[in-house]
Amino acid sequence: MYGVEAVIPVETGLPTSQMDVCEVEKNGQLLCKHLDLVEEDCDVASAKLANYQQRISRWYNSGIKNREFISGDLVLRKVLGNTRDPTMGKLGPTWEGPYRVTSIAVIGAYRLQELDERPITRPWNVFNLKKYYF
């Protein structure tokens, strides 16, 4: 077996400037004072975090376009995978219509009808609709 020697760090064996300047009582008082300020530091940090989250939310929401339609608006409907014509490939149309909005089904979903008054069977989400300008 190999012999293992204990190595003493230099600071414990020889006095250094840090050990000469250190005052144990003053150090204890400073630690107690710092512990009293921990709650205040946490409050400041949480206020900064809330401010940061608010700024990020405002920045993100500035780029979002709110889509709302009223009854009678003309809209285009996104062509989804199951209604897409497979013979057209990727050059096929991505929007179809126009359709007329008849009512709001739930928040963010609308009931549609074709221009010849035939209703579409299910409601459509606002993310799959866009306003039709003619």
Side-chain angles (χ1 to χ4, degrees), residues 21-60:
V21 175
C22 180
E23 297 175 13
V24 177
E25 289 181 25
K26 188 174 181 181
N27 190 27
Q29 291 173 354
L30 288 174
L31 283 174
C32 288
K33 186 176 181 181
H34 182 69
L35 284 175
D36 292 339
L37 297 176
V38 167
E39 281 187 40
E40 185 178 335
D41 290 343
C42 286
D43 292 341
V44 169
S46 65
K48 284 183 181 180
L49 178 64
N51 184 21
Y52 171 74
Q53 288 175 338
Q54 203 171 40
R55 285 186 292 139
I56 291 295
S57 174
R58 199 175 320 128
W59 173 80
Y60 177 78

mmCIF file of all heavy atoms in Angstrom, residues 21-60:
data_model
loop_
_atom_site.group_PDB
_atom_site.id
_atom_site.type_symbol
_atom_site.label_atom_id
_atom_site.label_comp_id
_atom_site.label_asym_id
_atom_site.label_seq_id
_atom_site.Cartn_x
_atom_site.Cartn_y
_atom_site.Cartn_z
ATOM 1 N N VAL A 21 -6.097 40.672 9.952
ATOM 2 C CA VAL A 21 -7.120 41.709 9.903
ATOM 3 C C VAL A 21 -8.449 41.219 10.471
ATOM 4 O O VAL A 21 -9.245 42.000 10.991
ATOM 5 C CB VAL A 21 -7.307 42.192 8.442
ATOM 6 C CG1 VAL A 21 -8.437 43.172 8.316
ATOM 7 C CG2 VAL A 21 -6.023 42.797 7.931
ATOM 8 N N CYS A 22 -8.705 39.938 10.433
ATOM 9 C CA CYS A 22 -9.988 39.368 10.838
ATOM 10 C C CYS A 22 -10.236 39.568 12.329
ATOM 11 O O CYS A 22 -9.407 39.240 13.174
ATOM 12 C CB CYS A 22 -10.015 37.882 10.514
ATOM 13 S SG CYS A 22 -11.555 37.082 10.990
ATOM 14 N N GLU A 23 -11.441 40.131 12.603
ATOM 15 C CA GLU A 23 -11.877 40.272 13.991
ATOM 16 C C GLU A 23 -13.135 39.427 14.146
ATOM 17 O O GLU A 23 -14.133 39.666 13.483
ATOM 18 C CB GLU A 23 -12.167 41.732 14.316
ATOM 19 C CG GLU A 23 -10.951 42.632 14.198
ATOM 20 C CD GLU A 23 -11.313 44.093 14.402
ATOM 21 O OE1 GLU A 23 -12.444 44.360 14.878
ATOM 22 O OE2 GLU A 23 -10.488 44.948 14.070
ATOM 23 N N VAL A 24 -13.103 38.464 15.028
ATOM 24 C CA VAL A 24 -14.187 37.498 15.161
ATOM 25 C C VAL A 24 -15.483 38.166 15.611
ATOM 26 O O VAL A 24 -16.565 37.895 15.077
ATOM 27 C CB VAL A 24 -13.778 36.366 16.133
ATOM 28 C CG1 VAL A 24 -14.930 35.401 16.326
ATOM 29 C CG2 VAL A 24 -12.554 35.651 15.610
ATOM 30 N N GLU A 25 -15.429 39.063 16.584
ATOM 31 C CA GLU A 25 -16.653 39.707 17.077
ATOM 32 C C GLU A 25 -17.275 40.603 16.014
ATOM 33 O O GLU A 25 -18.488 40.595 15.814
ATOM 34 C CB GLU A 25 -16.327 40.536 18.333
ATOM 35 C CG GLU A 25 -16.020 39.699 19.549
ATOM 36 C CD GLU A 25 -15.743 40.563 20.757
ATOM 37 O OE1 GLU A 25 -16.223 41.717 20.789
ATOM 38 O OE2 GLU A 25 -15.068 40.088 21.663
ATOM 39 N N LYS A 26 -16.442 41.393 15.329
ATOM 40 C CA LYS A 26 -16.952 42.292 14.302
ATOM 41 C C LYS A 26 -17.537 41.481 13.136
ATOM 42 O O LYS A 26 -18.565 41.845 12.566
ATOM 43 C CB LYS A 26 -15.839 43.199 13.798
ATOM 44 C CG LYS A 26 -16.316 44.284 12.872
ATOM 45 C CD LYS A 26 -15.184 45.231 12.522
ATOM 46 C CE LYS A 26 -15.698 46.325 11.602
ATOM 47 N NZ LYS A 26 -14.644 47.252 11.203
ATOM 48 N N ASN A 27 -16.889 40.369 12.818
ATOM 49 C CA ASN A 27 -17.388 39.497 11.764
ATOM 50 C C ASN A 27 -18.768 38.935 12.120
ATOM 51 O O ASN A 27 -19.678 38.877 11.297
ATOM 52 C CB ASN A 27 -16.388 38.372 11.508
ATOM 53 C CG ASN A 27 -16.717 37.580 10.266
ATOM 54 O OD1 ASN A 27 -17.327 38.100 9.349
ATOM 55 N ND2 ASN A 27 -16.318 36.316 10.250
ATOM 56 N N GLY A 28 -18.949 38.522 13.367
ATOM 57 C CA GLY A 28 -20.244 38.018 13.832
ATOM 58 C C GLY A 28 -21.320 39.081 13.755
ATOM 59 O O GLY A 28 -22.463 38.812 13.353
ATOM 60 N N GLN A 29 -20.986 40.317 14.119
ATOM 61 C CA GLN A 29 -21.962 41.411 14.054
ATOM 62 C C GLN A 29 -22.364 41.695 12.605
ATOM 63 O O GLN A 29 -23.544 41.926 12.314
ATOM 64 C CB GLN A 29 -21.381 42.674 14.693
ATOM 65 C CG GLN A 29 -21.213 42.578 16.196
ATOM 66 C CD GLN A 29 -20.473 43.782 16.756
ATOM 67 O OE1 GLN A 29 -19.985 44.628 16.016
ATOM 68 N NE2 GLN A 29 -20.386 43.840 18.084
ATOM 69 N N LEU A 30 -21.381 41.683 11.718
ATOM 70 C CA LEU A 30 -21.685 41.928 10.311
ATOM 71 C C LEU A 30 -22.570 40.820 9.721
ATOM 72 O O LEU A 30 -23.471 41.084 8.919
ATOM 73 C CB LEU A 30 -20.394 42.048 9.494
ATOM 74 C CG LEU A 30 -19.587 43.327 9.709
ATOM 75 C CD1 LEU A 30 -18.268 43.247 8.964
ATOM 76 C CD2 LEU A 30 -20.373 44.537 9.270
ATOM 77 N N LEU A 31 -22.324 39.565 10.133
ATOM 78 C CA LEU A 31 -23.166 38.462 9.663
ATOM 79 C C LEU A 31 -24.604 38.612 10.153
ATOM 80 O O LEU A 31 -25.566 38.368 9.412
ATOM 81 C CB LEU A 31 -22.589 37.125 10.108
ATOM 82 C CG LEU A 31 -21.391 36.617 9.310
ATOM 83 C CD1 LEU A 31 -20.829 35.355 9.954
ATOM 84 C CD2 LEU A 31 -21.775 36.348 7.884
ATOM 85 N N CYS A 32 -24.783 39.016 11.414
ATOM 86 C CA CYS A 32 -26.138 39.226 11.957
ATOM 87 C C CYS A 32 -26.841 40.357 11.214
ATOM 88 O O CYS A 32 -28.031 40.273 10.907
ATOM 89 C CB CYS A 32 -26.058 39.541 13.449
ATOM 90 S SG CYS A 32 -25.624 38.123 14.458
ATOM 91 N N LYS A 33 -26.104 41.431 10.929
ATOM 92 C CA LYS A 33 -26.684 42.561 10.205
ATOM 93 C C LYS A 33 -27.096 42.125 8.796
ATOM 94 O O LYS A 33 -28.163 42.497 8.298
ATOM 95 C CB LYS A 33 -25.665 43.698 10.130
ATOM 96 C CG LYS A 33 -26.194 44.967 9.541
ATOM 97 C CD LYS A 33 -25.133 46.062 9.598
ATOM 98 C CE LYS A 33 -25.659 47.354 9.033
ATOM 99 N NZ LYS A 33 -24.641 48.409 9.054
ATOM 100 N N HIS A 34 -26.255 41.312 8.154
ATOM 101 C CA HIS A 34 -26.573 40.817 6.818
ATOM 102 C C HIS A 34 -27.797 39.907 6.841
ATOM 103 O O HIS A 34 -28.637 39.944 5.925
ATOM 104 C CB HIS A 34 -25.365 40.081 6.232
ATOM 105 C CG HIS A 34 -25.591 39.571 4.844
ATOM 106 N ND1 HIS A 34 -25.720 40.411 3.768
ATOM 107 C CD2 HIS A 34 -25.747 38.310 4.360
ATOM 108 C CE1 HIS A 34 -25.934 39.697 2.682
ATOM 109 N NE2 HIS A 34 -25.946 38.415 3.014
ATOM 110 N N LEU A 35 -27.948 39.079 7.869
ATOM 111 C CA LEU A 35 -29.119 38.210 7.981
ATOM 112 C C LEU A 35 -30.396 39.026 8.142
ATOM 113 O O LEU A 35 -31.466 38.613 7.677
ATOM 114 C CB LEU A 35 -28.946 37.243 9.157
ATOM 115 C CG LEU A 35 -28.009 36.073 8.916
ATOM 116 C CD1 LEU A 35 -27.827 35.274 10.209
ATOM 117 C CD2 LEU A 35 -28.527 35.178 7.817
ATOM 118 N N ASP A 36 -30.308 40.186 8.818
ATOM 119 C CA ASP A 36 -31.480 41.049 8.960
ATOM 120 C C ASP A 36 -31.911 41.633 7.619
ATOM 121 O O ASP A 36 -33.088 41.916 7.408
ATOM 122 C CB ASP A 36 -31.187 42.183 9.951
ATOM 123 C CG ASP A 36 -31.008 41.679 11.381
ATOM 124 O OD1 ASP A 36 -31.492 40.562 11.663
ATOM 125 O OD2 ASP A 36 -30.400 42.395 12.194
ATOM 126 N N LEU A 37 -30.971 41.809 6.699
ATOM 127 C CA LEU A 37 -31.279 42.425 5.412
ATOM 128 C C LEU A 37 -31.668 41.406 4.333
ATOM 129 O O LEU A 37 -32.003 41.797 3.220
ATOM 130 C CB LEU A 37 -30.068 43.237 4.931
ATOM 131 C CG LEU A 37 -29.676 44.417 5.812
ATOM 132 C CD1 LEU A 37 -28.412 45.062 5.293
ATOM 133 C CD2 LEU A 37 -30.797 45.432 5.909
ATOM 134 N N VAL A 38 -31.645 40.116 4.658
ATOM 135 C CA VAL A 38 -31.947 39.083 3.664
ATOM 136 C C VAL A 38 -33.374 39.203 3.149
ATOM 137 O O VAL A 38 -33.625 39.118 1.943
ATOM 138 C CB VAL A 38 -31.679 37.673 4.234
ATOM 139 C CG1 VAL A 38 -32.280 36.600 3.363
ATOM 140 C CG2 VAL A 38 -30.196 37.456 4.390
ATOM 141 N N GLU A 39 -34.335 39.436 4.042
ATOM 142 C CA GLU A 39 -35.735 39.561 3.608
ATOM 143 C C GLU A 39 -35.914 40.749 2.679
ATOM 144 O O GLU A 39 -36.631 40.669 1.677
ATOM 145 C CB GLU A 39 -36.653 39.698 4.821
ATOM 146 C CG GLU A 39 -36.947 38.396 5.516
ATOM 147 C CD GLU A 39 -37.987 38.571 6.597
ATOM 148 O OE1 GLU A 39 -38.960 39.328 6.382
ATOM 149 O OE2 GLU A 39 -37.824 37.943 7.644
ATOM 150 N N GLU A 40 -35.269 41.861 3.018
ATOM 151 C CA GLU A 40 -35.365 43.047 2.174
ATOM 152 C C GLU A 40 -34.750 42.779 0.792
ATOM 153 O O GLU A 40 -35.303 43.178 -0.225
ATOM 154 C CB GLU A 40 -34.645 44.216 2.837
ATOM 155 C CG GLU A 40 -34.784 45.520 2.087
ATOM 156 C CD GLU A 40 -34.099 46.677 2.800
ATOM 157 O OE1 GLU A 40 -33.930 46.608 4.026
ATOM 158 O OE2 GLU A 40 -33.731 47.634 2.103
ATOM 159 N N ASP A 41 -33.633 42.070 0.760
ATOM 160 C CA ASP A 41 -33.011 41.723 -0.522
ATOM 161 C C ASP A 41 -33.926 40.824 -1.345
ATOM 162 O O ASP A 41 -34.023 40.982 -2.571
ATOM 163 C CB ASP A 41 -31.660 41.028 -0.294
ATOM 164 C CG ASP A 41 -30.596 41.964 0.243
ATOM 165 O OD1 ASP A 41 -30.783 43.199 0.145
ATOM 166 O OD2 ASP A 41 -29.592 41.464 0.770
ATOM 167 N N CYS A 42 -34.610 39.885 -0.683
ATOM 168 C CA CYS A 42 -35.555 39.005 -1.395
ATOM 169 C C CYS A 42 -36.711 39.809 -1.965
ATOM 170 O O CYS A 42 -37.158 39.553 -3.094
ATOM 171 C CB CYS A 42 -36.068 37.920 -0.464
ATOM 172 S SG CYS A 42 -34.859 36.643 -0.108
ATOM 173 N N ASP A 43 -37.208 40.798 -1.202
ATOM 174 C CA ASP A 43 -38.306 41.631 -1.694
ATOM 175 C C ASP A 43 -37.874 42.454 -2.901
ATOM 176 O O ASP A 43 -38.622 42.579 -3.881
ATOM 177 C CB ASP A 43 -38.810 42.558 -0.585
ATOM 178 C CG ASP A 43 -39.512 41.810 0.538
ATOM 179 O OD1 ASP A 43 -39.928 40.654 0.301
ATOM 180 O OD2 ASP A 43 -39.639 42.374 1.638
ATOM 181 N N VAL A 44 -36.677 42.999 -2.859
ATOM 182 C CA VAL A 44 -36.169 43.776 -3.985
ATOM 183 C C VAL A 44 -36.007 42.889 -5.215
ATOM 184 O O VAL A 44 -36.368 43.275 -6.336
ATOM 185 C CB VAL A 44 -34.826 44.457 -3.612
ATOM 186 C CG1 VAL A 44 -34.149 45.038 -4.825
ATOM 187 C CG2 VAL A 44 -35.053 45.530 -2.559
ATOM 188 N N ALA A 45 -35.487 41.687 -5.008
ATOM 189 C CA ALA A 45 -35.300 40.761 -6.130
ATOM 190 C C ALA A 45 -36.635 40.353 -6.744
ATOM 191 O O ALA A 45 -36.772 40.276 -7.970
ATOM 192 C CB ALA A 45 -34.527 39.529 -5.681
ATOM 193 N N SER A 46 -37.642 40.086 -5.907
ATOM 194 C CA SER A 46 -38.950 39.691 -6.443
ATOM 195 C C SER A 46 -39.619 40.853 -7.173
ATOM 196 O O SER A 46 -40.301 40.642 -8.176
ATOM 197 C CB SER A 46 -39.849 39.149 -5.343
ATOM 198 O OG SER A 46 -40.144 40.150 -4.406
ATOM 199 N N ALA A 47 -39.406 42.091 -6.704
ATOM 200 C CA ALA A 47 -39.949 43.255 -7.411
ATOM 201 C C ALA A 47 -39.284 43.415 -8.775
ATOM 202 O O ALA A 47 -39.949 43.707 -9.771
ATOM 203 C CB ALA A 47 -39.760 44.516 -6.578
ATOM 204 N N LYS A 48 -37.967 43.206 -8.836
ATOM 205 C CA LYS A 48 -37.256 43.290 -10.108
ATOM 206 C C LYS A 48 -37.734 42.195 -11.068
ATOM 207 O O LYS A 48 -37.906 42.436 -12.261
ATOM 208 C CB LYS A 48 -35.752 43.155 -9.893
ATOM 209 C CG LYS A 48 -35.102 44.400 -9.346
ATOM 210 C CD LYS A 48 -33.599 44.210 -9.222
ATOM 211 C CE LYS A 48 -32.933 45.433 -8.652
ATOM 212 N NZ LYS A 48 -31.474 45.266 -8.523
ATOM 213 N N LEU A 49 -37.963 40.984 -10.547
ATOM 214 C CA LEU A 49 -38.445 39.878 -11.367
ATOM 215 C C LEU A 49 -39.837 40.175 -11.926
ATOM 216 O O LEU A 49 -40.104 39.935 -13.103
ATOM 217 C CB LEU A 49 -38.464 38.585 -10.558
ATOM 218 C CG LEU A 49 -38.990 37.353 -11.273
ATOM 219 C CD1 LEU A 49 -38.072 36.991 -12.441
ATOM 220 C CD2 LEU A 49 -39.116 36.187 -10.326
ATOM 221 N N ALA A 50 -40.726 40.724 -11.083
ATOM 222 C CA ALA A 50 -42.077 41.052 -11.544
ATOM 223 C C ALA A 50 -42.026 42.127 -12.629
ATOM 224 O O ALA A 50 -42.756 42.053 -13.627
ATOM 225 C CB ALA A 50 -42.933 41.521 -10.367
ATOM 226 N N ASN A 51 -41.159 43.116 -12.450
ATOM 227 C CA ASN A 51 -41.005 44.174 -13.449
ATOM 228 C C ASN A 51 -40.498 43.592 -14.761
ATOM 229 O O ASN A 51 -40.990 43.929 -15.846
ATOM 230 C CB ASN A 51 -40.046 45.250 -12.928
ATOM 231 C CG ASN A 51 -39.911 46.409 -13.874
ATOM 232 O OD1 ASN A 51 -40.766 46.648 -14.718
ATOM 233 N ND2 ASN A 51 -38.825 47.147 -13.751
ATOM 234 N N TYR A 52 -39.513 42.702 -14.681
ATOM 235 C CA TYR A 52 -38.960 42.063 -15.872
ATOM 236 C C TYR A 52 -40.027 41.241 -16.595
ATOM 237 O O TYR A 52 -40.168 41.323 -17.823
ATOM 238 C CB TYR A 52 -37.785 41.173 -15.482
ATOM 239 C CG TYR A 52 -37.265 40.310 -16.593
ATOM 240 C CD1 TYR A 52 -36.522 40.852 -17.635
ATOM 241 C CD2 TYR A 52 -37.523 38.944 -16.616
ATOM 242 C CE1 TYR A 52 -36.061 40.062 -18.668
ATOM 243 C CE2 TYR A 52 -37.059 38.149 -17.641
ATOM 244 C CZ TYR A 52 -36.326 38.718 -18.662
ATOM 245 O OH TYR A 52 -35.880 37.927 -19.677
ATOM 246 N N GLN A 53 -40.803 40.457 -15.856
ATOM 247 C CA GLN A 53 -41.849 39.636 -16.470
ATOM 248 C C GLN A 53 -42.915 40.506 -17.125
ATOM 249 O O GLN A 53 -43.444 40.161 -18.182
ATOM 250 C CB GLN A 53 -42.469 38.715 -15.425
ATOM 251 C CG GLN A 53 -41.555 37.594 -14.998
ATOM 252 C CD GLN A 53 -42.129 36.762 -13.867
ATOM 253 O OE1 GLN A 53 -42.996 37.217 -13.130
ATOM 254 N NE2 GLN A 53 -41.629 35.552 -13.721
ATOM 255 N N GLN A 54 -43.220 41.631 -16.505
ATOM 256 C CA GLN A 54 -44.208 42.540 -17.062
ATOM 257 C C GLN A 54 -43.711 43.137 -18.386
ATOM 258 O O GLN A 54 -44.464 43.230 -19.363
ATOM 259 C CB GLN A 54 -44.488 43.651 -16.059
ATOM 260 C CG GLN A 54 -45.798 44.348 -16.205
ATOM 261 C CD GLN A 54 -46.050 45.264 -15.034
ATOM 262 O OE1 GLN A 54 -45.143 45.938 -14.559
ATOM 263 N NE2 GLN A 54 -47.284 45.299 -14.568
ATOM 264 N N ARG A 55 -42.433 43.527 -18.438
ATOM 265 C CA ARG A 55 -41.870 44.079 -19.667
ATOM 266 C C ARG A 55 -41.836 43.030 -20.772
ATOM 267 O O ARG A 55 -42.150 43.324 -21.928
ATOM 268 C CB ARG A 55 -40.466 44.632 -19.425
ATOM 269 C CG ARG A 55 -40.476 45.961 -18.682
ATOM 270 C CD ARG A 55 -39.095 46.568 -18.581
ATOM 271 N NE ARG A 55 -38.283 45.728 -17.695
ATOM 272 C CZ ARG A 55 -37.018 45.421 -17.908
ATOM 273 N NH1 ARG A 55 -36.377 45.863 -18.952
ATOM 274 N NH2 ARG A 55 -36.351 44.665 -17.055
ATOM 275 N N ILE A 56 -41.468 41.785 -20.435
ATOM 276 C CA ILE A 56 -41.437 40.711 -21.432
ATOM 277 C C ILE A 56 -42.850 40.435 -21.945
ATOM 278 O O ILE A 56 -43.057 40.245 -23.149
ATOM 279 C CB ILE A 56 -40.809 39.433 -20.831
ATOM 280 C CG1 ILE A 56 -39.330 39.646 -20.570
ATOM 281 C CG2 ILE A 56 -41.026 38.230 -21.724
ATOM 282 C CD1 ILE A 56 -38.500 39.861 -21.810
ATOM 283 N N SER A 57 -43.817 40.407 -21.067
ATOM 284 C CA SER A 57 -45.204 40.165 -21.460
ATOM 285 C C SER A 57 -45.698 41.278 -22.385
ATOM 286 O O SER A 57 -46.357 41.006 -23.396
ATOM 287 C CB SER A 57 -46.082 40.075 -20.217
ATOM 288 O OG SER A 57 -47.426 39.984 -20.567
ATOM 289 N N ARG A 58 -45.389 42.526 -22.056
ATOM 290 C CA ARG A 58 -45.797 43.653 -22.898
ATOM 291 C C ARG A 58 -45.151 43.559 -24.277
ATOM 292 O O ARG A 58 -45.798 43.798 -25.295
ATOM 293 C CB ARG A 58 -45.400 44.964 -22.216
ATOM 294 C CG ARG A 58 -46.146 46.156 -22.731
ATOM 295 C CD ARG A 58 -45.839 47.441 -21.968
ATOM 296 N NE ARG A 58 -45.732 47.246 -20.539
ATOM 297 C CZ ARG A 58 -44.685 47.652 -19.810
ATOM 298 N NH1 ARG A 58 -43.672 48.276 -20.360
ATOM 299 N NH2 ARG A 58 -44.663 47.452 -18.509
ATOM 300 N N TRP A 59 -43.886 43.179 -24.334
ATOM 301 C CA TRP A 59 -43.187 43.041 -25.614
ATOM 302 C C TRP A 59 -43.797 41.918 -26.445
ATOM 303 O O TRP A 59 -44.022 42.072 -27.635
ATOM 304 C CB TRP A 59 -41.703 42.775 -25.365
ATOM 305 C CG TRP A 59 -40.949 42.463 -26.620
ATOM 306 C CD1 TRP A 59 -40.480 43.346 -27.535
ATOM 307 C CD2 TRP A 59 -40.623 41.159 -27.109
ATOM 308 N NE1 TRP A 59 -39.870 42.683 -28.568
ATOM 309 C CE2 TRP A 59 -39.934 41.331 -28.330
ATOM 310 C CE3 TRP A 59 -40.825 39.875 -26.644
ATOM 311 C CZ2 TRP A 59 -39.468 40.268 -29.073
ATOM 312 C CZ3 TRP A 59 -40.346 38.824 -27.391
ATOM 313 C CH2 TRP A 59 -39.678 39.018 -28.584
ATOM 314 N N TYR A 60 -44.068 40.775 -25.807
ATOM 315 C CA TYR A 60 -44.635 39.631 -26.526
ATOM 316 C C TYR A 60 -46.032 39.965 -27.047
ATOM 317 O O TYR A 60 -46.361 39.673 -28.190
ATOM 318 C CB TYR A 60 -44.688 38.410 -25.614
ATOM 319 C CG TYR A 60 -45.329 37.215 -26.263
ATOM 320 C CD1 TYR A 60 -44.639 36.438 -27.179
ATOM 321 C CD2 TYR A 60 -46.648 36.861 -25.980
ATOM 322 C CE1 TYR A 60 -45.223 35.357 -27.792
ATOM 323 C CE2 TYR A 60 -47.246 35.779 -26.581
ATOM 324 C CZ TYR A 60 -46.523 35.027 -27.485
ATOM 325 O OH TYR A 60 -47.119 33.959 -28.096
#
